[in-house]
Amino acid sequence: MTDTPHISPHISRRGLLAGTAASAALLAAGAGQARAAAGPARLAAVAAQSADGFAGVSALGLTGTTGGVAGPTVTVTTAAQLRDYAGRNSPYVLLVFGRIAFDGMITVVADKSVLGVGSTAEITGGGLQLGSTTRPGNNVVIRNLRFTDASDDSISVTNRAHHVWIDHCDFSQGYDGLLDIKRESDYVTVSWNHFHDHSKTCLLGHNDSYTADRGKLRVTYHHNFFDGTDQRHPRVRFAEPVHVYNNLYRNNRLYGVASTEDAGVLVEANYFENVAHPIYSGYDDSGPGRVVERGNVYVACGQPQTLGTVVEPRTYYAYSPDPAASLPSIVPAGVGVGVIA
């Protein structure tokens, strides 16, 4: 790798909560109320909030993930509008009002913020693909959106997309993956999302033969609720380091986290409840990965598997985990749409 990561400033959970207080009223309002109440200052507060974890790291020519704040703010209420603005070659903040239904995938290209307004903003039937083989999906923010019944993936971060922040969304009942990150993508944070009513949740790494993912796929998963989903929370190939901390796992039938194909995963300060296999090294036909676990709570769970050593995420960014025992109260109250925190 030729880029030199910069240690980003420490952003605590409480600091992020405080920073979003000014915009909470807007995003908790319904679409009609938001139209009436929204003002430039509130919209700026929503769009200007900062990503933490790997999405906040200065690398690859970007100083963190800012989305479309350099461009205008527009309202989208139809699939045609969303497809148009998401594909434009300039920054935009896109405010999604209400339910937008379509089939297939809409491509989101660089420098976009896609923000749901209120608790009713929803994308159903289709999904969002960040980047194509010719148009990068770098510097993209997706927040406060519900994704249901996708005909493929709900969100696909792919084709070398980097600096992506996916925050406070609700994912359920897709056809394939709910949130897949692959094909040399990098510097991504997945935070405060609710995953439920699905099996294949979060894939990280394309497949066992796609070795170009090695040295990429640096992703932070924190304060997500994996609520009865079966597997892939995440399932990792080749990536290092992957930082999985302060997530709540409950009633996951197959497994929690799987590190495979020599990936390096730190599983830290999570709460696992009724998960027979909370952590795997290797899975199915994939070779073993390296995985370190520390500070987790296991309730009615099997024995976690560990192997080898992993690069410390603190070599990239500062963070302060919440105590794992507090997650059953903190996480369900804070995840998903309508609460932006």
Side-chain angles (χ1 to χ4, degrees):
M1 297 298 294
T2 59
D3 62 302
T4 301
H6 169 71
I7 296 179
S8 56
H10 167 64
I11 304 172
S12 69
R13 182 184 69 87
R14 293 168 183 80
L16 186 59
L17 286 166
T20 61
S23 60
L26 168 64
L27 289 169
Q33 294 171 313
R35 288 180 193 272
R42 288 188 177 186
L43 295 177
V46 174
Q49 290 158 10
S50 299
D52 59 359
F54 274 112
V57 171
S58 294
L60 301 176
L62 293 178
T63 56
T65 302
T66 58
V69 293
T73 297
V74 298
T75 296
V76 295
T77 59
T78 68
Q81 292 172 335
L82 179 59
R83 191 182 305 275
D84 176 14
Y85 284 104
R88 293 193 182 190
N89 290 325
S90 55
Y92 279 95
V93 175
L94 309 182
L95 299 182
V96 178
F97 284 89
R99 190 171 189 260
I100 296 180
F102 58 92
D103 189 32
M105 304 292 283
I106 285 178
T107 300
V108 183
V109 300
D111 306 318
K112 301 295 185 295
S113 296
V114 186
L115 309 177
V117 177
S119 58
T120 60
E122 179 181 355
I123 291 177
T124 188
L128 301 181
Q129 176 172 304
L130 275 58
S132 68
T133 55
T134 58
R135 305 179 71 201
N138 306 334
N139 192 31
V140 171
V141 174
I142 300 173
R143 304 182 73 198
N144 202 52
L145 278 169
R146 179 172 284 109
F147 292 84
T148 59
D149 298 315
S151 57
D152 194 347
D153 294 339
S154 296
I155 295 180
S156 178
V157 183
T158 188
N159 296 316
R160 300 183 180 180
H162 63 84
H163 288 89
V164 173
W165 184 25
I166 300 167
D167 176 72
H168 278 94
C169 294
D170 186 290
F171 296 90
S172 65
Q173 298 177 327
Y175 174 75
D176 193 8
L178 292 180
L179 201 175
D180 288 359
I181 303 169
K182 56 192 178 182
R183 292 187 178 273
E184 302 171 70
S185 296
D186 215 353
Y187 295 105
V188 179
T189 295
V190 178
S191 56
W192 295 99
N193 300 290
H194 187 194
F195 298 92
H196 58 98
D197 296 293
H198 192 71
S199 180
K200 299 176 181 179
T201 309
C202 294
L203 181 68
L204 181 55
H206 181 57
N207 59 35
D208 287 356
S209 63
Y210 197 82
T211 57
D213 277 338
R214 193 182 303 278
K216 307 291 181 67
L217 302 179
R218 285 165 280 206
V219 181
T220 304
Y221 297 86
H222 76 82
H223 292 94
N224 301 289
F225 186 9
F226 298 111
D227 182 8
T229 45
D230 288 343
Q231 58 181 313
R232 301 186 180 180
H233 314 100
R235 186 195 201 280
V236 185
R237 297 177 173 98
F238 301 114
E240 183 178 19
V242 177
H243 192 194
V244 180
Y245 82 93
N246 275 170
N247 301 285
L248 176 61
Y249 294 81
R250 182 172 287 162
N251 300 326
N252 309 117
R253 186 174 62 89
L254 295 180
Y255 65 87
V257 179
S259 177
T260 73
E261 299 299 327
D262 196 38
V265 183
L266 173 61
V267 182
E268 178 179 24
N270 301 281
Y271 192 101
F272 294 87
E273 180 180 350
N274 194 28
V275 184
H277 304 284
I279 302 172
Y280 271 136
S281 172
Y283 184 72
D284 197 18
D285 292 331
S286 300
R290 290 166 290 113
V291 57
V292 170
E293 74 87 30
R294 66 186 182 214
N296 299 291
V297 170
Y298 302 97
V299 177
C301 292
Q303 186 71 22
Q305 295 180 357
T306 60
L307 179 68
T309 62
V310 177
V311 172
E312 277 287 341
R314 281 193 174 91
T315 63
Y316 289 86
Y317 58 84
Y319 66 98
S320 296
D322 289 308
S326 70
L327 299 180
S329 59
I330 290 174
V331 170
V335 297
V337 299
V339 294
I340 283 292

